[in-house]
Amino acid sequence: MYAGVWKRLFAFLIDAAVFVILFWVLTQTAGITTASVATVVIIWLYYALMESSPMQASLGKIIMGLKVVDRRGRRLTFWQATERILSKIVTNITFYFGFFIAAFDNKRQTLHDRISHSAVVLKNTEFDPDDFVEAEDNSLTLVTIVSILLALVFVSALLMTVALPQYRQMANQVETSFITEALSRAETLQLQRVKEGQLDPNVWQGDFDECQKLTPRIMKCPGFEMMLMPAGITAAVRTPAGDLLYTLFKPYDGSPVVCTAALPEGKNICSEIN
């Protein structure tokens, strides 16, 4: 009488297809931000209203011949259905491990079924509420705790192997782009001031943005240093420990910026520039 994993999965895919189409339509008319907020609200009302209605099921569950019941086999109230929707967040953060544990449960309950004290059964299943009394159990069962721990391990591994390297790469690109723009501005202003005042090109003529002169040839800027060279301007980027990481050289003749790595960590950064 309890619904199997595959029937529930197909029901979920049917509902998901509806939401994908709906989201696409909303983005065409209202923009991504508005569409995202509207879709979240619609998903809540869709499941809460449908699963607490006489049908006791979403569209996908209706098609697959399923319905949702509480711990005594009765129809959910609107707020019970809402609790069930919110508890799905826990299943989602376990990367759906909390869904597939239903395959090993005698009542085919997922993680959010357990938390919301509900179950998904075949449409024609009938219950005698007096005979269908389930022992009370805490929301944070051993399965719940194990699922969340597994999710944390998975998320940590994902962060270490994918997200953090991508973040570092993006941060490096932003940093090098910022420094390259600062070099170009400094070159333009320096050459202009030298030409207008017939001044020494080997000495910084004035300040640039938030940079301050340390010596006549060296300018200290947020996160890097700029140095005047005979043929151009060099920006030196250092590690938090103060070691030189890499340099960017902007020639006066208009040639592209050249990156030179001083440490192994700087090689990947320079490989994206040169």
Side-chain angles (χ1 to χ4, degrees):
M1 73 179 177
Y2 294 101
V5 170
W6 291 112
K7 280 197 170 188
R8 295 186 63 173
L9 178 60
F10 285 126
F12 165 77
L13 293 176
I14 292 170
D15 290 331
V18 173
F19 296 137
V20 168
I21 295 172
L22 174 66
F23 180 74
W24 181 83
V25 172
L26 289 174
T27 55
Q28 303 306 306
T29 58
I32 293 179
T33 302
T34 303
S36 300
V37 174
T39 301
V40 170
V41 174
I42 290 171
I43 289 174
W44 162 51
L45 292 174
Y46 170 81
Y47 279 112
L49 291 171
M50 293 285 284
E51 293 184 351
S52 63
S53 72
M55 292 179 290
Q56 299 180 242
S58 63
L59 178 61
K61 291 184 179 69
I62 291 173
I63 293 174
M64 296 307 299
L66 309 175
K67 67 179 180 180
V68 182
V69 297
D70 70 3
R71 65 168 59 252
R72 300 188 66 183
R74 299 170 300 191
R75 190 172 88 190
L76 301 181
T77 66
F78 176 82
W79 295 113
Q80 285 176 319
T82 296
E83 179 187 6
R84 190 169 189 275
I85 299 303
L86 294 176
S87 64
K88 286 184 179 181
I89 297 174
V90 180
T91 296
N92 293 341
I93 66 172
T94 65
F95 292 87
Y96 292 98
F97 173 81
F99 178 86
F100 287 102
I101 64 172
F104 308 99
D105 186 85
N106 61 345
K107 292 184 175 64
R108 297 294 185 262
Q109 286 182 300
T110 62
L111 189 54
H112 56 272
D113 291 334
R114 288 169 173 263
I115 293 174
S116 61
H117 307 298
S118 61
V120 179
V121 298
L122 300 179
K123 181 179 179 180
N124 296 326
T125 303
E126 297 294 339
F127 296 99
D128 180 351
D130 294 329
D131 295 334
F132 192 78
V133 179
E134 196 174 357
E136 293 285 339
D137 57 357
N138 295 325
S139 295
L140 288 179
T141 61
L142 178 61
V143 174
T144 306
I145 295 172
V146 170
S147 298
I148 293 175
L149 288 176
L150 287 173
L152 290 174
V153 171
F154 185 84
V155 170
S156 298
L158 191 65
L159 287 173
M160 294 298 294
T161 58
V162 179
L164 288 180
Q166 288 293 328
Y167 172 78
R168 291 194 190 99
Q169 182 180 8
M170 182 177 67
N172 289 335
Q173 290 173 347
V174 171
E175 180 184 62
T176 54
S177 177
F178 172 78
I179 296 173
T180 300
E181 290 180 6
L183 281 174
S184 297
R185 289 197 303 272
E187 177 197 31
T188 300
L189 288 174
Q190 175 72 1
L191 293 178
Q192 181 180 345
R193 291 168 180 172
V194 168
K195 182 178 179 181
E196 290 176 350
Q198 298 296 313
L199 303 174
D200 185 356
N202 296 313
V203 176
W204 283 114
Q205 303 301 329
D207 295 330
F208 301 90
D209 297 330
E210 298 179 1
C211 302
Q212 295 181 341
K213 283 188 286 187
L214 296 181
T215 70
R217 294 181 57 249
I218 300 177
M219 189 87 72
K220 178 67 175 177
C221 304
F224 64 99
E225 298 170 358
M226 287 194 299
M227 295 171 285
L228 287 173
M229 309 295 288
I233 303 174
T234 294
V237 182
R238 300 183 181 277
T239 66
D243 299 322
L244 183 62
L245 181 60
Y246 65 91
T247 60
L248 296 176
F249 178 65
K250 180 69 173 69
Y252 286 136
D253 60 9
S255 300
V257 172
V258 178
C259 183
T260 303
L263 292 177
E265 294 87 342
K267 290 183 178 179
N268 291 334
I269 299 174
C270 289
S271 65
E272 297 176 2
I273 298 174
N274 297 333

